[in-house]
Amino acid sequence: MKNSLFFRSFAFILAGLVTFLPVTSVLAGPVPTSSDNPHTPVASDGSQIDPHAPGSDDIVQTDNGAYSKGAKGNNVRQWERFVTDGRKSPSATADKPSTESIIGSDSRTRVKDPSVYPYRAIVHIESNIGNCTGWMIGSDTVATAGHCVYDPDSKKWASWAKVYPGRNGDEAPFGSANAKRFYSVTGWTVQGNHNHDYGAIKLDKSVGNQTGWFGYRWQSGSLNGVNENISGYPGDKDYGTQWEHRDQIRETTTYKLIYNNDTYAGQSGAPVYQDSYQNCGVCSLAIHANGVYGGKNSNRGTRITKEVFHNLNIWKNQ
């Protein structure tokens, strides 16, 4: 009798506890942590990143997205000269699932004067894990591909990088800047997922005040048919020269934009951009990252989604 009374009391108490426990903890297991989110931002030095991007006057909300405004800079030059000896540019070793590709005949053209905007806001990246392209998104921040800052095969961050805005062979009209920190997301550094192949570099000087920077935007709907340009530093051309090719977005997927621009290894990290969009100015839609794979004879870039946009804002304001 005493045992029966004990078990009835225990059952009553247990039922009460279940009533007051959160439903998710009873029925759905643990609530996912931030590490389960592939867009969780991480830094090369292990520093903590505030996930709440500070407010900024250059961020404008639209009906189906948002954009961050570009700027042209003050064009103050700081010349550096180099001897390139006709070298070709080694590309980042983690450039997978394929190198960027020439679609049919090569239609790229050399940028004759990369010291003018927006070409001067496109940077040539040299680092210990390979050469890449990037683009200024603020006074001291460069957006680029994730595999240009972190190699998932060796599971290591780049240990150093130097960037040259508007480089033209052996001339760097805005000098150079060194990386002091690298950023990416766990979807790339932990999962190695090419859908999340994007990152950024924080510089040791505010060279963007001279070069200006790109705007960038996201929208929820399709971008098919939008005219765009890709300009960067391919490894099959003379070292440190900038080349471009114009096309349009051929297909919009959740994480990638697909296009037929001719590109080559070394152009990873280049902006996929519109010449003009509302008050955004020169405005990027994606970060060029991959070539032909999955049965599609096209190149592709990591789409600037709401989550990517948010992280670019965070890194720019760190």
Side-chain angles (χ1 to χ4, degrees), residues 139-161:
S139 64
D140 63 354
T141 311
V142 172
T144 188
H147 66 258
C148 295
V149 298
Y150 183 89
D151 181 359
D153 290 338
S154 65
K155 302 188 184 304
K156 291 182 179 179
W157 292 93
S159 60
W160 64 270

Side-chain angles (χ1 to χ4, degrees), residues 136-208:
M136 303 300 300
I137 58 173
S139 64
D140 63 354
T141 311
V142 172
T144 188
H147 66 258
C148 295
V149 298
Y150 183 89
D151 181 359
D153 290 338
S154 65
K155 302 188 184 304
K156 291 182 179 179
W157 292 93
S159 60
W160 64 270
K162 185 180 286 287
V163 308
Y164 305 87
R167 185 170 185 170
N168 191 18
D170 61 357
E171 295 181 345
F174 299 95
S176 61
N178 295 307
K180 65 178 186 180
R181 187 178 302 114
F182 301 98
Y183 300 115
S184 189
V185 291
T186 55
W188 179 249
T189 63
V190 176
Q191 301 171 14
N193 187 330
H194 287 273
N195 286 330
H196 308 296
D197 186 353
Y198 69 102
I201 303 172
K202 184 64 71 174
L203 305 177
D204 64 350
K205 62 179 68 172
S206 298
V207 67

Side-chain angles (χ1 to χ4, degrees), residues 63-83:
D63 290 340
N64 64 345
Y67 62 84
S68 177
K69 300 176 185 178
K72 292 186 177 181
N74 60 29
N75 197 27
V76 175
R77 313 271 177 123
Q78 182 183 344
W79 288 93
E80 290 185 17
R81 296 185 182 275
F82 311 89
V83 178

